Amino acid sequence: MNCLVIDDEPLATELISSYIERVDGLHLAKCCSNAVEALTYLHSTPADLLFLDIQMPKITGIDLIKSLPVKTRVIFTTAYRDYAIEAFDLDVVDYLLKPITFERFFKAISKVYGFKEPVFQPGAEYKLLHDFNESYIYLRAEREMVKVFLKDILYVESLRDYVRVKTTSGQIISYNKISYLEQKLPETKFKRVHRSFIVPLDQIVTFTPQSIKVSDFTIPIGRNYKNETLKALTRHDIMQS
């Protein structure tokens, strides 16, 4: 993945460049000290991911996004909180506040790498259901991206800043929040039943008002999730019959 770092602060540029070099699959294509230089470069050489400062001379990072020749993934790297709402209206991947730690940088990169996007496009619900056996996600486990078919997932368990994805063939520990997977997994097939657990509806063997059994695993139903979970299970049963 070719990366472009755009920042008028040399120390910030050096820091992000060093982080890029530490992540397999990322390649530093160029560093630009202002948006004009970046635009000139992008008109002739496409980049996969921009690390973009907001407050820069001549053209701001916000204006640069609006001027891009093609839609490009962008991670903002800025010292200012004030532009967060406007940034996310522009559909940026993440908004990193300086000083940026490598842990926070890597979390942003995980959002870029985390999923095969076409599977989860809004409005594609019927296509997703029809092709569910072929649908998959990529999850980063240590230094590898692991392909996981959705039909093989038994449950997702939160481990604070990580998740355990238990499958029919093993398990994967990935640096992701469970809330992020909850947003990405198709809601017609997966249900969050507890603050620490997401389960696939098709894999449920039995359930009670307190728990769900998936394969040989018993998953608790959280008090705050109980009503919606039982409604979903009943509705799913009717749809399958």
Side-chain angles (χ1 to χ4, degrees):
M1 183 174 290
N2 289 323
C3 303
L4 190 64
V5 179
I6 309 162
D7 200 311
D8 62 334
E9 299 176 15
L11 290 178
T13 299
E14 290 177 13
L15 181 66
I16 296 299
S17 298
S18 70
Y19 287 170
I20 290 171
E21 292 174 356
R22 292 171 62 180
V23 179
D24 289 345
L26 295 186
H27 168 69
L28 179 61
K30 186 175 176 62
C31 295
C32 299
S33 60
N34 59 70
V36 174
E37 182 184 357
L39 269 177
T40 302
Y41 177 83
L42 289 169
H43 274 286
S44 59
T45 310
D48 300 305
L49 179 61
L50 307 186
F51 293 93
L52 179 61
D53 190 17
I54 293 179
Q55 289 280 26
M56 291 185 293
K58 299 180 181 177
I59 300 177
T60 68
I62 299 274
D63 290 334
L64 173 61
I65 291 180
K66 296 176 181 179
S67 305
L68 290 176
V70 294
K71 182 174 175 58
T72 307
R73 293 184 181 94
V74 175
I75 295 175
F76 272 130
T77 57
T78 178
Y80 301 92
R81 298 177 179 272
D82 303 348
Y83 301 96
I85 294 176
E86 186 174 2
F88 284 110
D89 284 343
L90 293 170
D91 199 26
V92 301
V93 174
D94 211 336
Y95 192 96
L96 305 185
L97 285 172
K98 299 175 181 177
I100 300 166
T101 65
F102 180 73
E103 180 181 17
R104 185 64 183 88
F105 172 88
F106 189 78
K107 185 175 181 179
I109 295 301
S110 297
K111 293 182 181 181
V112 177
Y113 271 131
F115 297 93
K116 182 177 179 291
E117 290 295 336
V119 174
F120 305 105
Q121 285 180 348
E125 180 178 326
Y126 176 78
K127 181 176 183 296
L128 175 63
L129 290 172
H130 182 71
D131 297 329
F132 185 73
N133 288 336
E134 302 300 323
S135 300
Y136 60 90
I137 59 177
Y138 275 108
L139 295 174
R140 177 173 287 277
E142 296 183 350
R143 300 177 70 85
E144 296 182 320
M145 299 302 296
V146 181
K147 186 177 185 178
V148 181
F149 283 94
L150 301 191
K151 65 181 177 63
D152 293 336
I153 296 176
L154 296 177
Y155 64 83
V156 178
E157 180 182 3
S158 173
L159 304 173
R160 303 194 72 171
D161 289 334
Y162 292 79
V163 291
R164 183 203 322 272
V165 180
K166 187 69 177 179
T167 71
T168 53
S169 59
Q171 69 176 18
I172 297 161
I173 307 296
S174 179
Y175 185 67
N176 271 303
K177 290 280 192 181
I178 193 171
S179 56
Y180 183 65
L181 267 72
E182 182 184 12
Q183 294 173 6
K184 292 297 183 180
L185 291 170
E187 62 180 8
T188 55
K189 289 290 186 177
F190 291 84
K191 183 67 180 175
R192 186 154 181 192
V193 301
H194 187 278
R195 66 180 182 179
S196 298
F197 289 96
I198 297 172
V199 299
L201 296 172
D202 289 345
Q203 296 281 7
I204 294 174
V205 179
T206 61
F207 70 90
T208 72
Q210 288 76 40
S211 65
I212 287 170
K213 188 172 183 180
V214 176
S215 186
D216 295 327
F217 305 99
T218 300
I219 309 295
I221 297 176
R223 182 177 60 183
N224 294 335
Y225 296 85
K226 183 175 179 180
N227 290 338
E228 289 300 317
T229 296
L230 295 179
K231 286 180 184 178
L233 292 175
T234 304
R235 185 166 58 248
H236 187 70
D237 181 59
I238 293 172
M239 291 174 63
Q240 296 298 312
S241 59

